[in-house]
Amino acid sequence: MNEQTAGERAGGYDLVVIGSGPGGYVAAIRAAQLGLKTACVEKRETLGGTCLNIGCIPSKALLQSSELLEEARHGLARHGVRIAGVELDLPGMMAQKDKVVADNTNGVAFLFKKNKIDWIKGQARVAGADRVEVALNGGGTRLLTTRNILIATGSDIMPLPGIAIDEKRVISSTGGLSLSEVPKHLVVIGGGYIGLELGSVWRRLGSEVTVVEFLDRILPGMDGEVSRQMQRLLQKQGISFRLGTKVTAAVASENGVALTLEPDKGGPAEKLAADVVLVSVGRRPFTEGLGLEAAGVALDERGRVKTDSHFATNVPGIYAIGDVIAGPMLAHKAEDEGVAVAEILAGQAGHVNYDAIPGVVYTWPEAASVGKTEEELKAAGIAYKAGRFPFSANGRARAMAMTDGFVKLLADKATDRVLGAHIVGPNAGDLIAEIVLGMEFGAAAEDIARTSHAHPTLNEAIKEAALAVDGRAIHI
Ligand SMILES: Cc1cc2nc3c(=O)[nH]c(=O)nc-3n(C[C@H](O)[C@H](O)[C@H](O)COP(=O)(O)OP(=O)(O)OC[C@H]3O[C@@H](n4cnc5c(N)ncnc54)[C@H](O)[C@@H]3O)c2cc1C
C-alpha cells in the first residue's frame, strides 16, 4: 500500500468519483465546493476524460485549424483578400491541437488543486458500497473508504463486427485525431456527428472523403430537414455519401484497405478501395473492470448503469452519471448531471432538464438542435406551427459571405410555447443557446419575436423565425 491521502487520514471520503471526464471532474469540483471530502480516480495520466483528451476538444481544435486553412485557400478571395502560397503544415496543426488539449487537461488539474480534490491515478474497482480499490498506475493498490461512490466511467468506441481497428489503416475517432499524413481516400463508416466532423477535417486537409451509412440518411436523430440540408452542403464541399449501405468486410494491407459494401436492402456486393478507413458507428458505455456485477450494481439491456431520477443505482450509496447511463452521450449532459448529483449528495435539489439539452455538429456550416424534431412532434400527434428563416436573407450572414442554412422554430399550435429549434448555419452551435435559454424559461415564440436583437447579427435570423411562426417575418 502507498502513502495515505489527506482524505484517508481524515477517516475516509464523502465522495469517491471514478472517472475524470466532464461528468466526473465537474461532479468532484461541485461536491468539493459544497464541502464534501472528495477524491477522483482516473486511470489515464491526464484529467478530462474522453472529451478533453480524445473527443470534443482535440476534434474542435482540428476543425478550427482546418477551417482557417479552407478559408485562406477558398474563402478570403471573395472578401478581396489575396494570399499566395498557402500551405498545410500538418505537424504544426497537430502540435497546436496537442497544446489545446494540454492547456485544458492541465486546467482541470489546477481546479482539482484549488478545490482540494485528491486525484488518484489508477484503475478503480468498486469493492463494496463504501469502498473503492485502486490499482495504482505507479504500482501497488490503495483502498479508499467513502460514504458515496460516483461511477463516471464514460464510454468507449463501438466496434464493427468483423472489422479490426489497428489505428493505422483502420482507425477509430482517436486515430482520426492524429494521422501523420493526409490519406488520399478516407472512407468514413457512419454518418453521425463524429464521422462528419472528422470527415470534414480531412477533406479540408486534402483527402477525398466517402461516408458510408447504413441508414438512408445522415445525422439520425436530428430533424429530417437538417439532415437533408447538411448532406447537400457537405456534398457541395466534395464529400460523397453512400447511404443505405453496409460495410461487411475490411481487409487492410500495406497499401490500403479493401472494403466490401452491400446495399442494406439486399443486392450485389461491391468493392471500395480506401487508404484509410475511419470506423465511427457510435459509442458504448464503459464498465469494464469496475466489478459492478460483484457489487450487485444493475445494468440495463444496453449495458448502461441503471439509475433513478436522482442518479442513484440499485445499491445504496452508489451513483452514476454521464455516458455510462442513459441519455445523449454529450459532454454538457454529463456536466449538468455532475452538478446535479453533487448537489443531491449535499442535500440540495439537483435537477437536469432533459427536454432542453442542445446537440451541435461542428462542421461548416454547423448544425444545432434543441427539443423536439418535426418527426417527433408528428409521431406524438402534437399540433405545432413552424417558422423558418434562411440565412440568405440575414444581413450579417451576407457580410460574412456565409449564407447557407436556416433557422426553424417549432411552437405549440395552441399555446405558442417553443417545443424545438433546428439551425443549419454559421455559428449555429452558439446561436442555439438563445433558444435553449428560452425553453428553460418556458418561452413562447412570441416572446422571442418581441425581444430586441442587435442589428446586424446572425441572431436576428432567430427572431425572424419566431416571427415566421405566425407568418409575419419582416425580411422575407
Ligand atoms: C471524437 C469525439 C468528439 C466528441 N465531440 C463532442 C462534442 O463536440 N460535444 C459534446 O458534447 N460531446 C462530444 N463528444 C462526446 C463526449 O466526449 C462525451 O459525451 C463525454 O466525454 C462523456 O463524459 P463522461 O464524463 O461521461 O465520460 P468520459 O469523458 O468518457 O470519461 C470517463 C473517464 O473515466 C475513466 N475511467 C474509466 N474506467 C475507469 C476506472 N475503472 N478507473 C479509473 N478511471 C476510469 C476513463 O479513463 C475516462 O477518462 C465527443 C466524443 C468523441 C469521441
Side-chain angles (χ1 to χ4, degrees):
M1 291 272 175
N2 294 38
E3 201 186 310
Q4 280 191 319
T5 58
E8 288 164 290
R9 280 195 299 278
Y13 290 100
D14 293 315
L15 175 64
V16 170
V17 180
I18 305 178
S20 72
Y25 87 71
V26 167
I29 292 172
R30 186 71 189 117
Q33 283 177 345
L34 291 166
L36 303 186
K37 221 182 307 155
T38 305
C40 180
V41 189
E42 172 56 60
K43 62 185 174 146
R44 251 194 199 97
E45 282 303 313
T46 50
L47 297 171
T50 303
C51 175
L52 271 59
N53 289 281
I54 51 165
C56 330
I57 294 298
S59 59
K60 264 79 262 180
L62 288 181
L63 280 157
Q64 183 69 36
S65 300
S66 60
E67 223 163 87
L68 290 175
L69 179 74
E70 179 88 346
E71 272 297 282
R73 276 187 176 154
H74 307 293
L76 294 184
R78 77 175 86 104
H79 293 278
V81 180
R82 274 201 226 140
I83 26 175
V86 176
E87 271 178 48
L88 167 65
D89 164 15
L90 187 58
M93 198 176 279
M94 290 295 168
Q96 158 68 6
K97 174 223 34 170
D98 292 341
K99 181 180 179 310
V100 172
V101 168
D103 286 349
N104 278 276
T105 58
N106 291 336
V108 178
F110 164 78
L111 293 173
F112 270 21
K113 249 196 206 135
K114 179 183 160 197
N115 288 285
K116 301 192 172 46
I117 296 160
D118 288 335
W119 168 14
I120 295 161
K121 293 183 183 177
Q123 164 105 24
R125 186 178 67 82
V126 178
D130 62 350
R131 56 202 55 220
V132 171
E133 189 185 81
V134 185
L136 297 166
N137 288 353
T141 58
R142 176 176 290 164
L143 194 65
L144 309 173
T145 54
T146 178
R147 287 200 297 128
N148 300 288
I149 297 172
L150 178 61
I151 300 166
T153 50
S155 61
D156 196 9
I157 287 141
M158 178 100 78
L160 196 56
I163 295 174
I165 292 175
D166 59 16
E167 296 296 8
K168 288 192 184 89
R169 290 281 175 196
V170 183
I171 60 174
S172 68
S173 57
T174 307
L177 294 166
S178 50
L179 291 175
S180 55
E181 54 187 88
V182 180
K184 263 207 203 94
H185 184 200
L186 173 70
V187 172
V188 178
I189 309 179
Y193 80 93
I194 294 177
L196 297 184
E197 288 182 3
L198 287 176
S200 291
V201 165
W202 292 103
R203 204 260 326 140
R204 293 169 191 163
L205 300 188
S207 295
E208 176 196 343
V209 174
T210 307
V211 176
V212 183
E213 167 59 52
F214 176 74
L215 299 173
D216 60 1
R217 55 173 288 186
I218 60 167
L219 297 172
M222 288 192 97
D223 191 274
E225 205 175 340
V226 169
S227 296
R228 287 189 296 277
Q229 174 87 321
M230 287 301 291
Q231 188 183 336
R232 267 198 301 274
L233 293 173
L234 293 173
Q235 259 162 351
K236 228 166 68 180
Q237 293 168 14
I239 296 182
S240 316
F241 290 92
R242 301 291 308 270
L243 303 183
T245 303
K246 56 187 177 190
V247 178
T248 52
V251 180
S253 68
E254 274 291 288
N255 307 320
V257 190
L259 292 169
T260 308
L261 310 186
E262 284 178 29
D264 166 42
K265 295 198 170 79
E270 60 174 303
K271 298 282 181 205
L272 183 66
D275 296 284
V276 172
V277 175
L278 167 66
V279 180
S280 58
V281 293
R283 297 185 60 81
R284 59 178 178 185
F286 185 79
T287 54
E288 230 171 83
L290 261 182
L292 293 188
E293 206 179 320
V297 175
L299 304 182
D300 70 11
E301 69 297 341
R302 289 164 66 179
R304 302 173 296 200
V305 178
K306 246 193 201 168
T307 53
D308 65 13
S309 59
H310 284 71
F311 311 102
T313 69
N314 59 316
V315 178
I318 304 184
Y319 297 78
I321 55 165
D323 279 11
V324 80
I325 71 169
M329 286 183 164
L330 292 170
H332 42 286
K333 176 259 194 190
E335 287 189 42
D336 293 349
E337 290 177 342
V339 168
V341 75
E343 292 179 349
I344 289 167
L345 290 174
Q348 300 184 356
H351 175 71
V352 176
N353 177 6
Y354 291 97
D355 289 332
I357 295 184
V360 179
V361 187
Y362 296 86
T363 46
W364 193 263
E366 293 180 347
S369 280
V370 64
K372 300 277 184 254
T373 63
E374 282 205 60
E375 291 79 6
E376 284 169 342
L377 292 174
K378 280 179 191 147
I382 297 170
Y384 67 94
K385 303 172 283 184
R388 285 182 185 73
F389 191 79
F391 281 105
S392 56
N394 173 274
R396 186 63 179 274
R398 284 180 185 146
M400 293 166 72
M402 290 173 177
T403 49
D404 286 330
F406 61 87
V407 176
K408 175 165 78 174
L409 202 70
L410 305 173
D412 189 284
K413 194 162 192 177
T415 66
D416 197 40
R417 192 180 172 131
V418 177
L419 301 173
H422 308 280
I423 307 178
V424 172
N427 303 352
D430 296 306
L431 295 177
I432 198 81
E434 173 183 349
I435 302 166
V436 179
L437 188 68
M439 287 176 73
E440 280 289 348
F441 281 84
E446 185 72 15
D447 294 320
I448 296 175
R450 291 198 179 272
T451 299
S452 182
H453 286 66
H455 175 74
T457 58
L458 296 172
N459 297 69
E460 287 174 293
I462 293 178
K463 176 178 176 150
E464 292 276 3
L467 286 163
V469 163
D470 275 326
R472 55 187 221 269
I474 301 290
H475 291 93
I476 196 142

